[in-house]
């Protein structure tokens, strides 16, 4: 039990750091090559193929419910806009 406690104590600051990093992730630039490759836009309404879908309703979006922006599994270390969209949009299960 003591070992487990020590491990838990060691992991807690790391988890906090990771959480802080996720919150502080820079926004994906819509004009960057990786964004352009999937036709990412910060405004889903401007994409005629979005069919009303947005990053907020995408299976790859990892932002909290109601968040304005959050991480996307496609773009490691970058946030995308909840109101955005790209051609890799996937329905949530
Ligand atoms: Fe948005 Fe989903 Fe595309 Fe990521 S994969 S940019 S969350 S639509």
């Amino acid at each position: 039990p003591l070992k487990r406690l020590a491990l838990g104590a060691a992991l807690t600051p790391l988890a906090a750091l990771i959480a802080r990093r996720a919150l502080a992730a820079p926004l994906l630039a819509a004009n960057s090559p990786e964004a352009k490759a999937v036709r990412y836009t910060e405004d889903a309404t401007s994409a005629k193929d979005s069919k009303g879908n947005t990053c907020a309703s995408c299976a790859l979006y990892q932002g909290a419910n109601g968040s304005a922006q959050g991480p996307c599994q496609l773009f490691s270390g970058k946030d995308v806009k909840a109101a955005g969209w790209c051609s890799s949009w996937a329905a949530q299960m």
Side-chain angles (χ1 to χ4, degrees), residues 52-66:
N53 298 317
T54 62
C55 291
S57 65
C58 175
L60 302 181
Y61 184 67
Q62 300 181 309
N65 272 347

Side-chain angles (χ1 to χ4, degrees), residues 3-14:
K3 242 188 198 165
R4 201 178 294 166
L5 201 72
L7 184 65
L11 287 179
T12 305
L14 185 67

Side-chain angles (χ1 to χ4, degrees), residues 4 13 27 35 51 87 93:
R4 201 178 294 166
L27 258 187
K51 300 184 181 106
S87 59
M93 293 291 157

